[in-house]
Amino acid sequence: MAARHPTSYRPVTPVRDLLARSGARITPARETVLAILLEAPRALSHLEVEQAARQRGLTADRVTLYRVLDWLVGQGLAHRIEGQDRVRRFNAEAAVEHAHAHFHCTRCGQVFCLEQPLPRHKPQLPEGFRFEGMELTIRGLCPTCSTQT
Amino acid sequence: MAARHPTSYRPVTPVRDLLARSGARITPARETVLAILLEAPRALSHLEVEQAARQRGLTADRVTLYRVLDWLVGQGLAHRIEGQDRVRRFNAEAAVEHAHAHFHCTRCGQVFCLEQPLPRHKPQLPEGFRFEGMELTIRGLCPTCSTQT
DNA sequence: GACTATGATGCAACTCAATTGCATTTGTGG
DNA sequence: CCACAAATGCAATTGAGTTGCATCATAGTC
């Protein structure tokens, strides 16, 4: 997988810099996982992260990856998406405001980030409800699956 | 819990009628579960359905309830909502078009149906994606939880 | 460069919703 | 009332995610 902004005039912020900002420790697991998420074209499940990590030579426990992912979410470096299949997926959009919809393929289960932003305004809620955030998930078939009959 | 349209000029369609339309068998489990969903003010998890069913004197296996719920969804009699907590919740909106947002309380986990409809139009999708449906989930605190500090 | 405290990791066991296979029961059309 | 397809019950299983605790490694300090 290629880096995100190969032709950008501004260099990609190195993974270690992003991590360093948190003040917490920089560990191989955190470096690798964040790099994986940053380079992924779509949201990855824990399992996909684990496989990608192994390909990069990281031998980390399943639990460690869960904890790293949670930590990244806590740091605001990654975002967690609740899938239609009871599987959580993660992506990292270091620079991009995370306010877009997700597309969940009902056939292969992949989750894609869509470019179009969510409505800017907070939705009207009935009396007493407090808003924290919102998530728009579109179900359907991805390009690959929609052509396979 | 009261029936849905107490003042409507049109009588509420009896549960058995709704079931009969499917052409499939009418069983105690299906009757009870559908009645529970129709009368519930919010989406219910499998566990909540099970407890409600027991209160009504239905002694059905957990698995049966799972299967009944799936079947109701397949028949279009119920709708499945994917929670932020990896728990599926169900509601039945026999007459109402199901195109509204859901509110998920991040504290108590309850899911409420919001009145405001989703945007009518199908969202623009990148080339190749096929639209099937969408789900808008708003996270936050419900009235009860938002007052408990 | 070595030392150390604190926070990260590994391991094993566990939780919990949901699913599956198969034998048994039951609703319904004939 | 009968037969058969469909629904149910039961037990075992899956799979994502979590927890407790012992061990290890990072980053600041000397």
Side-chain angles (χ1 to χ4, degrees), chain B residues 26-103:
Chain B
I26 299 175
T27 66
R30 287 177 179 173
E31 273 189 73
T32 308
V33 171
L34 182 53
I36 288 167
L37 293 184
L38 283 169
E39 295 174 18
R42 55 185 176 79
L44 302 181
S45 67
H46 172 270
L47 192 66
E48 291 170 317
V49 170
E50 190 178 346
Q51 291 166 343
R54 208 157 280 157
Q55 280 191 350
R56 292 177 183 231
L58 179 73
T59 58
D61 194 74
R62 270 184 34 256
V63 179
T64 298
L65 297 182
Y66 275 116
R67 290 197 268 231
V68 165
L69 288 167
D70 283 349
W71 181 84
L72 287 172
V73 171
Q75 295 300 315
L77 290 171
H79 195 252
R80 195 177 83 178
I81 304 160
E82 212 64 46
Q84 301 293 301
D85 53 1
R86 286 175 33 88
V87 175
R88 291 171 178 162
R89 289 176 177 79
F90 299 83
N91 64 9
E93 307 271 340
V96 182
E97 175 72 18
H98 191 90
H100 54 261
H102 293 109
F103 184 92

Side-chain angles (χ1 to χ4, degrees), chain A residues 17-102:
Chain A
D17 279 18
L18 285 170
L19 291 175
R21 286 179 202 163
S22 70
R25 292 186 187 169
I26 298 175
T27 67
R30 288 176 179 174
E31 274 188 73
T32 308
V33 171
L34 182 52
I36 288 168
L37 292 184
L38 283 169
E39 295 175 17
R42 56 185 175 80
L44 302 181
S45 67
H46 172 270
L47 192 66
E48 291 171 318
V49 170
E50 189 177 346
Q51 291 167 344
R54 207 156 281 158
Q55 279 191 351
R56 291 176 184 232
L58 179 72
T59 57
D61 193 74
R62 253 166 17 88
V63 178
T64 299
L65 297 181
Y66 274 115
R67 289 195 269 232
V68 166
L69 288 167
D70 283 350
W71 181 83
L72 287 172
V73 170
Q75 295 300 315
L77 289 171
H79 194 252
R80 195 176 83 176
I81 305 160
E82 214 60 49
Q84 301 294 300
D85 53 1
R86 286 175 34 91
V87 175
R88 290 169 179 162
R89 289 177 177 78
F90 300 83
N91 64 9
E93 307 272 338
V96 181
E97 175 72 20
H98 191 91
H100 54 260
H102 294 109

